[in-house]
Coordinates of all heavy atoms in Angstrom, one line a residue:
M1113 N 0.5 -5.5 9.2 CA 1.4 -6.3 9.8 C 1.6 -7.6 9.0 O 2.7 -8.1 9.0 CB 0.9 -6.6 11.2 CG 1.6 -7.7 11.9 SD 2.0 -7.3 13.6 CE 3.6 -6.8 13.6
G1114 N 0.6 -8.2 8.5 CA 0.7 -9.4 7.7 C 1.6 -9.3 6.5 O 1.9 -10.3 5.9
E1115 N 1.9 -8.1 6.0 CA 2.7 -7.9 4.9 C 4.2 -8.1 5.1 O 5.0 -8.2 4.2 CB 2.5 -6.5 4.3 CG 1.1 -6.2 4.0 CD 0.7 -6.8 2.6 OE1 1.5 -6.8 1.7 OE2 -0.5 -7.2 2.5
L1116 N 4.6 -8.2 6.4 CA 6.0 -8.3 6.8 C 6.5 -9.7 6.8 O 6.9 -10.3 7.8 CB 6.2 -7.7 8.2 CG 5.7 -6.2 8.3 CD1 5.8 -5.8 9.8 CD2 6.6 -5.3 7.5
R1117 N 6.5 -10.3 5.6 CA 6.8 -11.8 5.5 C 8.3 -12.1 5.8 O 8.6 -13.3 6.1 CB 6.5 -12.2 4.1 CG 5.0 -12.0 3.7 CD 4.6 -12.8 2.5 NE 3.3 -12.3 2.0 CZ 2.1 -12.5 2.6 NH1 2.1 -13.2 3.7 NH2 1.0 -12.1 2.0
Q1118 N 9.2 -11.2 5.8 CA 10.6 -11.5 6.1 C 10.9 -11.3 7.6 O 12.0 -11.6 8.0 CB 11.5 -10.7 5.2 CG 11.4 -11.0 3.8 CD 11.6 -12.4 3.4 OE1 12.6 -13.0 3.9 NE2 10.8 -13.0 2.6
L1119 N 10.0 -10.8 8.3 CA 10.2 -10.5 9.8 C 10.5 -11.8 10.5 O 9.8 -12.8 10.4 CB 8.9 -9.9 10.3 CG 8.9 -9.4 11.8 CD1 9.9 -8.2 11.9 CD2 7.5 -9.0 12.2
R1120 N 11.6 -11.8 11.3 CA 12.0 -12.9 12.1 C 11.8 -12.8 13.5 O 11.5 -13.7 14.2 CB 13.5 -13.2 11.8 CG 13.7 -13.7 10.4 CD 15.2 -14.0 10.2 NE 15.4 -14.5 8.9 CZ 15.3 -15.8 8.6 NH1 15.0 -16.7 9.5 NH2 15.5 -16.2 7.3
V1121 N 12.0 -11.6 14.1 CA 11.9 -11.3 15.5 C 11.0 -10.1 15.7 O 11.2 -9.1 15.0 CB 13.2 -11.1 16.2 CG1 13.1 -10.7 17.6 CG2 14.1 -12.3 16.0
L1122 N 10.0 -10.2 16.6 CA 9.2 -9.0 16.9 C 9.1 -8.9 18.4 O 8.6 -9.8 19.1 CB 7.8 -9.2 16.3 CG 6.8 -8.1 16.6 CD1 7.3 -6.8 16.0 CD2 5.4 -8.5 16.0
S1123 N 9.7 -7.8 18.9 CA 9.7 -7.6 20.3 C 9.0 -6.2 20.5 O 9.4 -5.2 20.1 CB 11.1 -7.5 20.8 OG 11.1 -7.2 22.2
C1124 N 7.8 -6.4 21.1 CA 7.0 -5.2 21.4 C 6.8 -5.0 22.9 O 5.8 -4.6 23.4 CB 5.6 -5.4 20.8 SG 5.6 -5.6 19.0
R1125 N 7.8 -5.3 23.7 CA 7.7 -5.4 25.1 C 7.8 -4.0 25.7 O 8.3 -3.0 25.1 CB 8.8 -6.2 25.7 CG 10.2 -6.1 25.1 CD 11.1 -7.1 25.6 NE 11.4 -6.7 27.0 CZ 12.4 -7.2 27.7 NH1 13.2 -8.1 27.2 NH2 12.6 -6.8 29.0
D1126 N 7.2 -3.9 26.9 CA 7.3 -2.6 27.7 C 6.6 -1.5 27.0 O 7.1 -0.3 27.0 CB 8.7 -2.3 28.1 CG 9.3 -3.4 28.9 OD1 8.7 -3.9 29.8 OD2 10.5 -3.7 28.6
N1127 N 5.4 -1.7 26.4 CA 4.6 -0.6 25.8 C 3.3 -0.6 26.5 O 3.1 -1.4 27.5 CB 4.4 -0.9 24.3 CG 5.7 -0.7 23.5 OD1 6.1 0.4 23.3 ND2 6.3 -1.8 23.1
Q1128 N 2.4 0.1 26.0 CA 1.0 0.1 26.6 C 0.0 -0.4 25.6 O -1.1 0.1 25.5 CB 0.7 1.5 27.2 CG 1.6 1.9 28.3 CD 1.3 3.3 28.8 OE1 0.5 4.0 28.3 NE2 1.9 3.6 29.9
F1129 N 0.4 -1.4 24.8 CA -0.5 -2.0 23.8 C -1.7 -2.6 24.5 O -1.6 -3.3 25.5 CB 0.2 -3.0 22.9 CG 1.3 -2.4 22.1 CD1 2.5 -3.1 21.9 CD2 1.1 -1.2 21.4 CE1 3.5 -2.6 21.1 CE2 2.1 -0.7 20.6 CZ 3.3 -1.4 20.4
T1130 N -2.9 -2.4 23.9 CA -4.1 -3.0 24.4 C -4.8 -3.7 23.2 O -4.3 -3.6 22.1 CB -5.0 -2.0 25.0 OG1 -5.4 -1.0 24.0 CG2 -4.4 -1.3 26.2
G1131 N -5.8 -4.5 23.5 CA -6.5 -5.1 22.5 C -6.0 -6.6 22.3 O -5.5 -7.2 23.2
R1132 N -6.1 -7.0 21.1 CA -5.8 -8.4 20.7 C -4.6 -8.4 19.8 O -4.4 -7.5 19.0 CB -6.9 -9.1 20.1 CG -8.1 -9.3 21.1 CD -9.2 -10.1 20.4 NE -10.2 -10.5 21.4 CZ -11.3 -9.9 21.6 NH1 -11.6 -8.8 20.9 NH2 -12.1 -10.3 22.5
V1133 N -3.9 -9.5 19.7 CA -2.8 -9.7 18.7 C -3.5 -9.9 17.4 O -4.4 -10.8 17.3 CB -2.0 -11.0 19.1 CG1 -1.0 -11.3 18.0 CG2 -1.2 -10.7 20.4
P1134 N -3.1 -9.2 16.4 CA -3.8 -9.3 15.1 C -3.6 -10.7 14.4 O -2.4 -11.2 14.4 CB -3.2 -8.2 14.2 CG -2.0 -7.8 14.9 CD -2.1 -8.2 16.3
R1135 N -4.6 -11.3 13.9 CA -4.5 -12.6 13.3 C -3.6 -12.6 12.1 O -3.1 -13.6 11.6 CB -5.8 -13.2 13.0 CG -6.6 -13.7 14.2 CD -7.8 -14.4 13.9 NE -7.7 -15.8 13.9 CZ -7.8 -16.6 15.0 NH1 -8.0 -16.1 16.1 NH2 -7.7 -17.9 14.9
E1136 N -3.4 -11.4 11.5 CA -2.5 -11.3 10.3 C -1.1 -11.6 10.6 O -0.3 -11.9 9.7 CB -2.6 -9.8 9.8 CG -3.9 -9.4 9.2 CD -4.9 -9.0 10.2 OE1 -4.6 -8.8 11.4 OE2 -6.1 -8.9 9.8
I1137 N -0.7 -11.8 11.9 CA 0.6 -12.2 12.3 C 0.9 -13.5 11.7 O 2.1 -13.9 11.5 CB 0.8 -12.1 13.8 CG1 2.3 -12.2 14.2 CG2 0.1 -13.3 14.5 CD1 2.8 -10.8 14.4
A1138 N -0.1 -14.3 11.4 CA 0.1 -15.7 10.9 C 0.7 -15.6 9.4 O 1.2 -16.6 8.9 CB -1.2 -16.4 10.8
N1139 N 0.6 -14.4 8.8 CA 1.1 -14.2 7.5 C 2.7 -14.0 7.5 O 3.3 -14.1 6.5 CB 0.5 -13.1 6.7 CG -1.0 -13.3 6.5 OD1 -1.4 -14.4 6.3 ND2 -1.7 -12.2 6.4
C1140 N 3.2 -13.7 8.7 CA 4.6 -13.5 8.8 C 5.3 -14.9 9.0 O 5.7 -15.2 10.1 CB 4.9 -12.6 10.0 SG 4.1 -11.0 9.9
V1141 N 5.5 -15.6 7.9 CA 5.9 -17.0 8.0 C 7.3 -17.2 8.4 O 7.7 -18.3 8.7 CB 5.7 -17.7 6.6 CG1 4.2 -17.8 6.3 CG2 6.4 -17.0 5.5
N1142 N 8.1 -16.1 8.5 CA 9.5 -16.2 8.9 C 9.7 -15.8 10.4 O 10.8 -15.8 11.0 CB 10.5 -15.4 8.1 CG 10.6 -16.1 6.7 OD1 11.0 -17.2 6.7 ND2 10.3 -15.4 5.7
L1143 N 8.6 -15.4 11.0 CA 8.6 -14.9 12.4 C 8.9 -16.1 13.3 O 8.1 -17.0 13.3 CB 7.3 -14.2 12.8 CG 7.2 -13.6 14.2 CD1 8.3 -12.5 14.4 CD2 5.9 -13.0 14.4
R1144 N 10.0 -16.1 14.0 CA 10.3 -17.2 14.9 C 10.2 -16.8 16.4 O 10.0 -17.7 17.2 CB 11.7 -17.7 14.6 CG 12.0 -18.2 13.2 CD 11.2 -19.5 13.0 NE 11.5 -20.1 11.8 CZ 10.7 -20.0 10.7 NH1 9.6 -19.4 10.8 NH2 11.0 -20.6 9.6
D1145 N 10.3 -15.5 16.7 CA 10.4 -15.1 18.1 C 9.5 -13.9 18.2 O 9.7 -12.8 17.7 CB 11.9 -14.7 18.3 CG 12.2 -14.4 19.8 OD1 11.3 -14.0 20.5 OD2 13.3 -14.6 20.2
F1146 N 8.4 -14.0 19.0 CA 7.4 -13.0 19.2 C 7.3 -12.7 20.7 O 6.9 -13.6 21.5 CB 6.1 -13.5 18.6 CG 5.0 -12.5 18.7 CD1 5.2 -11.2 18.7 CD2 3.7 -13.0 18.7 CE1 4.1 -10.3 18.8 CE2 2.6 -12.1 18.8 CZ 2.8 -10.8 18.8
R1147 N 7.7 -11.5 21.1 CA 7.7 -11.2 22.5 C 6.9 -9.9 22.7 O 7.2 -8.9 22.0 CB 9.1 -11.0 23.0 CG 9.9 -12.2 22.9 CD 11.4 -11.9 23.1 NE 12.2 -13.1 22.7 CZ 12.7 -13.9 23.6 NH1 12.5 -13.8 24.9 NH2 13.4 -15.0 23.2
F1148 N 6.0 -9.9 23.7 CA 5.2 -8.7 23.9 C 4.8 -8.5 25.4 O 3.8 -8.1 25.7 CB 4.1 -8.5 23.0 CG 3.0 -9.5 23.1 CD1 1.8 -9.3 23.9 CD2 3.1 -10.7 22.5 CE1 0.9 -10.2 24.0 CE2 2.1 -11.7 22.6 CZ 1.0 -11.4 23.4
Q1149 N 5.8 -8.9 26.3 CA 5.5 -8.8 27.7 C 5.3 -7.4 28.2 O 5.8 -6.5 27.5 CB 6.5 -9.6 28.6 CG 7.9 -9.2 28.5 CD 8.7 -9.9 27.4 OE1 8.2 -10.1 26.3 NE2 9.9 -10.3 27.7
N1150 N 4.7 -7.2 29.3 CA 4.4 -5.8 29.9 C 3.5 -5.0 29.0 O 3.8 -3.8 28.7 CB 5.7 -5.1 30.2 CG 6.5 -5.8 31.3 OD1 5.9 -6.4 32.2 ND2 7.8 -5.8 31.2
N1151 N 2.5 -5.6 28.5 CA 1.4 -4.9 27.7 C 0.1 -5.4 28.3 O 0.0 -6.2 29.1 CB 1.5 -5.2 26.2 CG 2.7 -4.5 25.6 OD1 2.7 -3.3 25.4 ND2 3.7 -5.3 25.2
E1152 N -1.0 -4.8 27.8 CA -2.3 -5.2 28.2 C -3.1 -5.9 27.1 O -4.2 -5.4 26.7 CB -3.0 -3.9 28.7 CG -2.4 -3.1 29.8 CD -2.3 -4.0 31.1 OE1 -3.2 -4.7 31.4 OE2 -1.2 -3.8 31.8
I1153 N -2.6 -7.0 26.7 CA -3.2 -7.7 25.6 C -4.4 -8.6 26.2 O -4.2 -9.2 27.2 CB -2.2 -8.7 24.9 CG1 -1.0 -7.8 24.4 CG2 -2.8 -9.5 23.8 CD1 -1.4 -6.8 23.3
E1154 N -5.5 -8.6 25.4 CA -6.7 -9.3 25.8 C -6.6 -10.8 25.3 O -6.0 -11.0 24.3 CB -7.9 -8.7 25.3 CG -8.2 -7.3 25.7 CD -9.3 -6.6 25.0 OE1 -10.1 -7.3 24.4 OE2 -9.3 -5.3 25.1
D1155 N -7.4 -11.6 26.0 CA -7.5 -13.0 25.5 C -6.2 -13.7 25.3 O -6.1 -14.4 24.2 CB -8.4 -13.1 24.3 CG -9.8 -12.5 24.6 OD1 -10.3 -12.7 25.7 OD2 -10.4 -12.0 23.7
L1156 N -5.3 -13.7 26.2 CA -4.0 -14.3 26.0 C -4.1 -15.8 25.8 O -3.4 -16.3 24.9 CB -3.1 -14.0 27.2 CG -1.7 -14.6 27.2 CD1 -1.0 -14.0 26.0 CD2 -0.9 -14.3 28.4
E1157 N -4.9 -16.5 26.5 CA -5.0 -18.0 26.3 C -5.6 -18.3 24.9 O -5.1 -19.2 24.2 CB -5.9 -18.6 27.4 CG -5.2 -18.6 28.7 CD -3.8 -19.1 28.7 OE1 -3.6 -20.2 28.2 OE2 -2.9 -18.5 29.3
E1158 N -6.6 -17.5 24.4 CA -7.1 -17.7 23.1 C -6.0 -17.4 22.1 O -5.8 -18.2 21.1 CB -8.3 -16.8 22.8 CG -8.8 -17.0 21.4 CD -9.9 -16.0 21.1 OE1 -10.6 -15.4 22.0 OE2 -10.1 -15.7 19.9
T1159 N -5.2 -16.4 22.3 CA -4.2 -16.0 21.4 C -3.1 -17.1 21.3 O -2.7 -17.5 20.2 CB -3.5 -14.7 21.8 OG1 -4.4 -13.7 21.8 CG2 -2.3 -14.4 20.9
K1160 N -2.8 -17.7 22.4 CA -1.8 -18.8 22.4 C -2.3 -20.0 21.6 O -1.6 -20.7 20.9 CB -1.5 -19.2 23.8 CG -0.6 -18.3 24.5 CD -0.2 -18.8 25.9 CE 0.7 -17.8 26.7 NZ 1.1 -18.4 28.0
R1161 N -3.6 -20.3 21.8 CA -4.2 -21.4 21.1 C -4.2 -21.2 19.5 O -3.7 -22.1 18.8 CB -5.7 -21.7 21.5 CG -5.8 -22.4 22.8 CD -7.2 -22.9 23.0 NE -8.2 -21.8 23.2 CZ -8.4 -21.2 24.4 NH1 -7.7 -21.5 25.4 NH2 -9.3 -20.2 24.4
W1162 N -4.6 -20.1 19.1 CA -4.6 -19.9 17.6 C -3.2 -19.8 17.1 O -2.9 -20.2 15.9 CB -5.6 -18.9 17.1 CG -5.3 -17.4 17.4 CD1 -5.9 -16.6 18.3 CD2 -4.4 -16.6 16.7 NE1 -5.4 -15.4 18.2 CE2 -4.4 -15.3 17.2 CE3 -3.5 -16.8 15.6 CZ2 -3.7 -14.2 16.8 CZ3 -2.7 -15.7 15.1 CH2 -2.8 -14.4 15.7
L1163 N -2.3 -19.2 17.8 CA -0.9 -19.1 17.4 C -0.3 -20.5 17.2 O 0.4 -20.8 16.3 CB 0.0 -18.3 18.4 CG 0.0 -16.8 18.2 CD1 0.7 -16.2 19.4 CD2 0.6 -16.4 16.9
A1164 N -0.6 -21.4 18.2 CA -0.1 -22.8 18.1 C -0.7 -23.5 16.9 O 0.0 -24.3 16.3 CB -0.4 -23.5 19.4
A1165 N -2.0 -23.2 16.6 CA -2.6 -23.9 15.5 C -2.2 -23.4 14.2 O -2.0 -24.1 13.2 CB -4.1 -23.8 15.7
E1166 N -2.1 -22.0 14.1 CA -1.8 -21.4 12.8 C -0.4 -21.1 12.5 O 0.0 -20.8 11.3 CB -2.7 -20.1 12.6 CG -4.2 -20.4 12.7 CD -5.0 -19.1 12.6 OE1 -4.5 -18.2 12.0 OE2 -6.1 -19.2 13.1
C1167 N 0.5 -21.0 13.5 CA 1.9 -20.6 13.4 C 2.8 -21.6 13.9 O 3.6 -21.3 14.8 CB 2.1 -19.3 14.1 SG 0.9 -18.0 13.6
S1168 N 2.7 -22.8 13.4 CA 3.5 -23.9 14.0 C 5.0 -23.7 13.8 O 5.8 -24.3 14.5 CB 3.1 -25.2 13.3 OG 3.3 -25.2 11.9
W1169 N 5.4 -22.8 12.9 CA 6.8 -22.5 12.6 C 7.4 -21.5 13.6 O 8.6 -21.4 13.7 CB 6.9 -21.9 11.2 CG 5.8 -21.0 10.8 CD1 4.7 -21.4 10.0 CD2 5.4 -19.7 11.3 NE1 3.8 -20.4 9.9 CE2 4.2 -19.4 10.7 CE3 6.1 -18.8 12.1 CZ2 3.6 -18.1 10.9 CZ3 5.4 -17.6 12.3 CH2 4.2 -17.2 11.7
M1170 N 6.5 -20.9 14.5 CA 7.0 -19.9 15.5 C 7.6 -20.7 16.6 O 7.0 -21.6 17.1 CB 5.9 -19.0 15.9 CG 6.4 -17.8 16.7 SD 5.0 -16.8 17.3 CE 4.3 -16.2 15.8
R1171 N 8.8 -20.4 17.1 CA 9.5 -21.1 18.2 C 9.2 -20.5 19.5 O 9.0 -21.2 20.5 CB 11.0 -21.1 18.0 CG 11.4 -22.0 16.8 CD 12.9 -22.1 16.8 NE 13.3 -22.0 15.4 CZ 14.4 -21.5 15.0 NH1 15.3 -20.9 15.8 NH2 14.7 -21.6 13.7
V1172 N 9.2 -19.1 19.7 CA 9.1 -18.5 21.0 C 8.0 -17.5 20.9 O 7.9 -16.7 20.0 CB 10.4 -17.8 21.3 CG1 10.3 -17.1 22.7 CG2 11.6 -18.8 21.4
F1173 N 7.1 -17.6 21.9 CA 6.0 -16.7 22.1 C 6.0 -16.3 23.6 O 5.8 -17.2 24.5 CB 4.7 -17.3 21.8 CG 3.5 -16.6 22.2 CD1 3.0 -15.5 21.4 CD2 2.8 -16.8 23.3 CE1 1.9 -14.8 21.7 CE2 1.7 -16.1 23.7 CZ 1.3 -15.1 22.9
I1174 N 6.3 -15.1 23.9 CA 6.3 -14.6 25.3 C 5.2 -13.5 25.4 O 5.3 -12.5 24.8 CB 7.6 -14.1 25.8 CG1 8.7 -15.2 25.6 CG2 7.6 -13.6 27.2 CD1 10.1 -14.8 26.0
G1175 N 4.2 -13.8 26.3 CA 3.1 -12.9 26.4 C 3.3 -11.9 27.5 O 4.3 -11.8 28.1
P1176 N 2.2 -11.1 27.7 CA 2.3 -10.0 28.7 C 2.7 -10.3 30.1 O 3.3 -9.5 30.8 CB 0.9 -9.4 28.7 CG 0.3 -9.9 27.4 CD 1.0 -11.2 27.1
D1177 N 2.4 -11.5 30.6 CA 2.6 -11.8 32.0 C 3.8 -12.9 32.1 O 3.9 -13.5 33.1 CB 1.4 -12.3 32.6 CG 0.8 -13.5 31.9 OD1 1.3 -13.9 30.8 OD2 -0.2 -14.1 32.4
E1178 N 4.6 -13.0 31.1 CA 5.7 -14.0 31.2 C 7.0 -13.3 31.1 O 7.1 -12.2 30.6 CB 5.6 -14.9 30.0 CG 4.3 -15.7 30.0 CD 4.0 -16.5 28.7 OE1 4.1 -15.9 27.7 OE2 3.7 -17.7 28.8
S1179 N 8.1 -13.9 31.6 CA 9.4 -13.3 31.6 C 10.2 -13.8 30.4 O 9.8 -14.8 29.8 CB 10.2 -13.6 32.9 OG 10.5 -15.0 32.9
D1180 N 11.2 -13.1 30.1 CA 12.1 -13.5 28.9 C 12.7 -14.8 29.1 O 12.8 -15.6 28.2 CB 13.3 -12.5 28.8 CG 13.0 -11.4 27.7 OD1 12.3 -11.7 26.7 OD2 13.4 -10.3 27.9
S1181 N 13.0 -15.2 30.3 CA 13.7 -16.5 30.6 C 12.8 -17.7 30.5 O 13.3 -18.8 30.3 CB 14.4 -16.4 31.9 OG 13.5 -16.3 32.9
S1182 N 11.5 -17.5 30.5 CA 10.6 -18.6 30.5 C 10.0 -18.9 29.2 O 9.3 -19.8 29.1 CB 9.4 -18.3 31.5 OG 8.6 -17.3 30.9
G1183 N 10.4 -18.3 28.1 CA 9.8 -18.4 26.8 C 8.9 -19.6 26.6 O 9.2 -20.7 27.0
S1184 N 7.9 -19.4 25.9 CA 6.9 -20.5 25.7 C 7.1 -21.0 24.2 O 7.0 -20.2 23.3 CB 5.5 -19.9 25.8 OG 5.2 -19.4 27.1
D1185 N 7.3 -22.3 24.1 CA 7.4 -22.8 22.8 C 6.0 -22.9 22.3 O 5.0 -23.4 22.9 CB 7.9 -24.3 22.8 CG 9.4 -24.3 23.0 OD1 10.1 -23.3 22.6 OD2 10.0 -25.3 23.4
V1186 N 5.8 -22.4 21.1 CA 4.5 -22.4 20.4 C 4.2 -23.8 19.8 O 3.1 -24.3 19.8 CB 4.3 -21.3 19.4 CG1 3.0 -21.4 18.6 CG2 4.4 -20.0 20.1
S1187 N 5.2 -24.4 19.3 CA 5.1 -25.7 18.6 C 6.0 -26.7 19.2 O 6.9 -26.4 20.0 CB 5.4 -25.5 17.1 OG 6.7 -25.2 16.9
D1188 N 5.8 -27.9 18.7 CA 6.7 -29.0 19.1 C 8.0 -29.0 18.3 O 8.9 -29.8 18.6 CB 6.0 -30.4 18.9 CG 4.8 -30.5 19.8 OD1 4.9 -30.0 20.9 OD2 3.8 -31.2 19.4
G1189 N 8.1 -28.2 17.3 CA 9.3 -28.2 16.5 C 9.0 -27.5 15.2 O 8.0 -26.9 15.0
E1190 N 10.0 -27.5 14.3 CA 9.8 -26.9 13.0 C 9.2 -27.7 12.0 O 9.4 -28.8 11.8 CB 11.1 -26.3 12.6 CG 11.4 -25.1 13.4 CD 12.6 -24.4 12.8 OE1 12.6 -23.9 11.7 OE2 13.6 -24.3 13.5

């Protein structure tokens, strides 16, 4: 996953993914919009913390229990 450096949007919604979000996602430096609601991802709060710390360029992060309209800003800006 970390090899996809040109990836801008990743929508993995409505699947049955389990486990954790891979930390290699931080290598996707052009990823601005990451959505994966309706999955069974573990440690969502921890994931949000490290995404905010390591992926300040990401604008939208919507996790398993959030709706599309509520998008969570990961950073304060670009």
Side-chain angles (χ1 to χ4, degrees):
M1113 169 136 261
E1115 302 281 325
L1116 304 173
R1117 301 196 194 288
Q1118 297 304 315
L1119 185 67
R1120 293 182 175 272
V1121 176
L1122 179 59
S1123 180
C1124 300
R1125 40 185 295 192
D1126 301 317
N1127 290 286
Q1128 294 179 353
F1129 293 139
T1130 60
R1132 294 184 169 97
V1133 173
R1135 287 187 97 87
E1136 290 83 12
I1137 197 93
N1139 295 333
C1140 301
V1141 296
N1142 288 304
L1143 183 62
R1144 299 292 186 256
D1145 191 331
F1146 181 28
R1147 300 167 190 262
F1148 64 99
Q1149 60 269 44
N1150 296 324
N1151 287 288
E1152 300 298 323
I1153 303 300
E1154 298 172 18
D1155 297 328
L1156 182 59
E1157 292 307 313
E1158 177 186 340
T1159 299
K1160 286 182 179 182
R1161 279 193 295 278
W1162 70 257
L1163 277 171
E1166 296 178 29
C1167 305
S1168 60
W1169 34 260
M1170 192 180 299
R1171 288 187 220 148
V1172 178
F1173 169 84
I1174 301 178
D1177 57 354
E1178 299 170 308
S1179 70
D1180 263 324
S1181 61
S1182 71
S1184 299
D1185 283 337
V1186 172
S1187 66
D1188 293 329
E1190 285 188 61

